[in-house]
Amino acid sequence: HKDLRLPPLCRRYRHLPLTSNWLLELLANQNKKRPHRKSHGLIPFKELAQTVAKNYREIDDETQSFVNEVAERLGWHCEEIEAIEARERREQEDRERS
């Protein structure tokens, strides 16, 4: 994912102190198990999910286009990586047969 280039942050997120490789750091840590924590019980999960969904539906156009662009680039990048890995597996299998 080192070659992945993301668009500049939209106005809504520019104030966040993110490093230039914030997405790579996120992806590197996504498979790590997090410790279990007792829920605080202040807001039920269903209500939280509904709030997040409502906020996402009401997102402004600039933020929506930023999110779509990141998703598109990430999807394209993942497809490229999968294609490269598949080609390398085929080449390895061909070498083993020879």
Side-chain angles (χ1 to χ4, degrees), residues 3-67:
D3 298 332
L4 182 62
R5 299 285 178 249
L6 297 176
L9 292 175
C10 59
R11 244 181 290 136
R12 181 178 184 151
Y13 299 121
R14 281 196 193 122
H15 70 283
L16 297 175
L18 296 174
T19 60
S20 60
N21 60 345
W22 62 270
L23 183 63
L24 296 177
E25 292 172 6
L26 177 71
L27 293 174
N29 293 321
Q30 80 181 28
N31 291 331
K32 293 182 182 174
K33 284 194 159 225
R34 66 173 182 79
H36 176 75
R37 293 195 175 82
K38 183 174 167 70
S39 64
H40 50 69
L42 296 177
I43 181 171
F45 180 77
K46 182 178 180 182
E47 187 179 333
L48 176 64
Q50 289 171 340
T51 302
V52 169
K54 176 182 165 284
N55 289 341
Y56 189 77
R57 281 192 302 270
E58 296 173 355
I59 204 165
D60 61 279
D61 291 339
E62 180 188 15
T63 305
Q64 183 67 50
S65 66
F66 169 76
V67 170

